[in-house]
Amino acid sequence: MTEDIELILDVAQEQMSETISRLENVLSKIRAGKASPNMLSAVKVDYYGAVTPLSQMANVSTPDPQTISIQPFDKSVMGDIEKAIVEANIGLNPMNNGEVIMINVPALTEERRRDLVKQVKIEIEKSKISCRNIRQKSNDELKNIGKEGVSEDIIRDAEESVQLITNEYTIKIDDIFSSKESDIMSKAFKKAGFKFAGSTICYSIMQAAGLVNDHLVSCFRYPEVQNYRWDNR
């Protein structure tokens, strides 16, 4: 039975780690400022029934810092490419002139910054829900083992271990959010004319404002600062 409990804990940790990897992959595509072909790396097109990455169907380039140009190898699928970009929900609006699909990457206005942060928050919440679901599934499996005769103390200790794993990955998710938010903020500051406003400086500002919780989970201040962070976002 001990091996079964260890397996449940290992699987929970592995699944939460995969959740973090998926989150980082999604957030890497939420970009602001300079245009980049990587912005479209998540776009996949239904090409005659086969889901195909955009990079295999078109030449994607950036003729200037604010524009992405997409030259399909097969012009008959331009509409499908345009639709796939919109459905990818990456905040970009393609324009099809019949020859080339052009995307204007908007400058980082305050409204745009808010939209990006809102988009990031949605992905953060999805990841937290995923971790909570993994926790629930693990606890259900532990309860089933308990019905087979394992002592309540052992099951309780295992549930506490599941919670500790959940706390660990929840903190990682929060850290990812703070890092992404500081990156977006730094771009807004630079656009406003600040010369020394990199992500690190913005992160420090967020720390000073109480928007980043660097306290250990065991610290008595952790719950207070954590609640303050989300109440003021």
Side-chain angles (χ1 to χ4, degrees):
M1 289 299 179
T2 302
E3 292 181 356
D4 291 338
I5 291 175
E6 289 179 353
L7 178 60
I8 290 172
L9 297 178
D10 288 343
V11 169
Q13 186 156 15
E14 181 179 347
Q15 290 178 340
M16 290 189 193
S17 179
E18 290 173 355
T19 297
I20 293 289
S21 297
R22 284 195 295 271
L23 174 62
E24 290 176 332
N25 183 51
V26 170
L27 295 188
S28 70
K29 299 172 179 61
I30 300 177
R31 301 172 186 268
K34 186 177 180 180
S36 168
N38 289 334
M39 292 180 177
L40 303 177
S41 60
V43 176
K44 293 185 171 51
V45 185
D46 184 355
Y47 186 57
Y48 297 107
V51 178
T52 308
L54 175 60
S55 59
Q56 296 180 14
M57 300 180 58
N59 179 34
V60 182
S61 61
T62 52
D64 62 66
Q66 299 302 135
T67 306
I68 299 176
S69 171
I70 303 166
Q71 180 74 59
F73 303 136
D74 179 358
K75 291 182 180 179
S76 67
V77 296
M78 292 187 75
D80 295 324
I81 293 176
E82 193 173 5
K83 179 182 176 183
I85 294 170
V86 172
E87 292 180 346
N89 193 29
I90 52 179
L92 299 174
N93 297 313
M95 294 176 290
N96 180 355
N97 64 12
E99 296 290 332
V100 178
I101 296 173
M102 305 295 288
I103 298 175
N104 177 55
V105 179
L108 195 62
T109 62
E110 178 61 21
E111 182 180 0
R112 175 63 176 164
R113 187 190 75 80
R114 291 178 184 274
D115 288 342
L116 288 174
V117 172
K118 186 184 298 184
Q119 193 176 351
V120 171
K121 282 184 177 181
I122 290 172
E123 298 302 332
I124 290 294
E125 187 57 30
K126 285 181 182 178
S127 297
K128 288 189 174 183
I129 291 173
S130 177
C131 285
R132 290 196 291 268
N133 289 340
I134 294 168
R135 177 187 61 189
Q136 184 61 52
K137 180 183 177 183
S138 299
N139 286 337
D140 290 344
E141 291 175 350
L142 290 171
K143 286 183 173 64
N144 289 334
I145 292 178
K147 294 176 182 178
E148 297 175 7
V150 178
S151 73
E152 291 183 3
D153 288 342
I154 292 177
I155 296 300
R156 190 180 303 111
D157 288 344
E159 288 176 341
E160 289 178 358
S161 295
V162 171
Q163 186 59 53
L164 288 174
I165 293 171
T166 305
N167 290 346
E168 175 188 350
Y169 282 92
T170 298
I171 291 171
K172 288 182 179 181
I173 291 171
D174 284 338
D175 288 344
I176 290 171
F177 175 67
S178 297
S179 177
K180 188 68 178 181
E181 189 176 30
S182 66
D183 183 47
I184 294 172
M185 185 187 297
S186 72
K187 288 183 173 66
F189 280 174
K190 287 178 179 177
K191 185 177 184 297
F194 292 88
K195 294 183 178 180
F196 302 101
S199 295
T200 302
I201 290 177
C202 288
Y203 190 87
S204 298
I205 293 172
M206 292 165 64
Q207 283 178 315
L211 297 177
V212 175
N213 189 359
D214 285 334
H215 290 272
L216 297 175
V217 177
S218 57
C219 176
F220 73 96
R221 289 294 309 281
Y222 180 86
E224 177 186 349
V225 177
Q226 193 72 359
N227 290 335
Y228 174 84
R229 290 177 65 206
W230 292 104
D231 288 344
N232 289 276
R233 284 188 185 279

